[in-house]
Amino acid sequence: MAEKVVGYPGVSNGKEVFLTGHAFRKNRLKNLRPGQSRLTNLRHMIRRFRLRPMKQVKVEVFLNGQKHHVKTNELGYFTCQVQQPYTVSGWYDYELCFEGKKGSNRAKGEYYVASDHETAVISDIDDTLLVSHSTKLLKKINLLAFRNAHTRKPIPLIKHWYNHISDLNDYEMPQDFFYVSNSEWNLYDFLKDFFQLNNIPKGVFFLRTLKKGLRDLARSGSAGSNHKEDTISWLFEFFPKKNFILVGDNGQKDLDIYHEFCTKYADRVKGVMIRKLSHVKKDHKMEMVENELKDLGIPLKFFH
């Protein structure tokens, strides 16, 4: 057994801090290196989906000189939302501790105090930044099972992602990035490493509920829940004075989801970016959304 507590990147709006994490009874994930064999990658991915969370355990959160007590849910997941005095924008540390059967388990995490810049980016990950083949089951499983952060590839023309974001923000790159993905927390360590290796802007991840079985590996990243809608709604409420650029792809339902937020928050969506996947044909519904966004005065940019 390898008991472990993990703290994910948290976020602050300058008044409150929101932190999340997991406590595990079994977590034997290790850092992978370039040149690892396909078998090693497969073994590591299997471990990701055989994590054993610790439910209903008390976790201590040390933040800004104060200690807060939280408890994990049935999937070993916890949240902590507390008041915070004004702090300059940037990344800050926090600490976690829980008492396991083998003694104290400690870990450090980071949280991001958002900038005063009025615009932030909400971006999907799979097939928007990371080649994932989310709509092609066999290719998706092959990538998940046999590749790692060193061998997975960003989208071919990722410079277009940067350029369009800058264009939509008056030719200035935003500082605040929130990555809302249908990938599960099982893949957090992989995504963190992938972003670092490919110099993708550091940000806060919002992933889906942890999975606990190998049968879930094939379904990893699939649409079918309200995770994206709920998270984006929360971000709009948590940052009531920010405008957002919404970024996704046309492989799943990103455009439909973003269309809803454009209708609801027309004055706060600065633009929408959609990556066109070559195997997905443009349909009548996409044309309709294009026209409606145009009527709302919200720019819609496509990239490859």
Side-chain angles (χ1 to χ4, degrees), residues 93-140:
D93 293 334
Y94 67 91
E95 292 189 14
L96 301 171
C97 178
F98 84 93
E99 292 294 331
K101 291 184 178 180
K102 297 183 179 181
S104 296
N105 289 268
R106 291 183 173 271
K108 288 187 177 181
E110 290 183 295
Y111 69 94
Y112 177 67
V113 179
S115 71
D116 293 330
H117 197 287
E118 68 172 14
T119 303
V121 176
I122 296 174
S123 180
D124 178 44
I125 297 175
D126 292 312
D127 288 321
T128 299
L129 287 167
L130 168 68
V131 175
S132 303
H133 298 300
S134 296
T135 60
K136 297 180 178 180
L137 181 60
L138 293 180
K139 285 189 174 182
K140 179 181 77 170

Side-chain angles (χ1 to χ4, degrees), residues 3 67 104 144 156 173 224 288:
E3 294 177 341
K67 181 167 66 173
S104 296
L144 277 171
M173 200 64 176
M288 180 187 70

Side-chain angles (χ1 to χ4, degrees), residues 278-290:
S278 58
H279 63 279
V280 178
K281 294 182 179 180
K282 184 175 181 179
D283 57 18
H284 173 71
K285 190 173 184 180
M286 187 180 295
E287 292 181 355
M288 180 187 70
V289 172
E290 282 187 69

Side-chain angles (χ1 to χ4, degrees), residues 67-80:
K67 181 167 66 173
H68 307 276
H69 297 273
V70 295
K71 183 180 286 189
T72 63
N73 65 11
E74 293 299 308
L75 290 172
Y77 183 72
F78 66 85
T79 64
C80 178

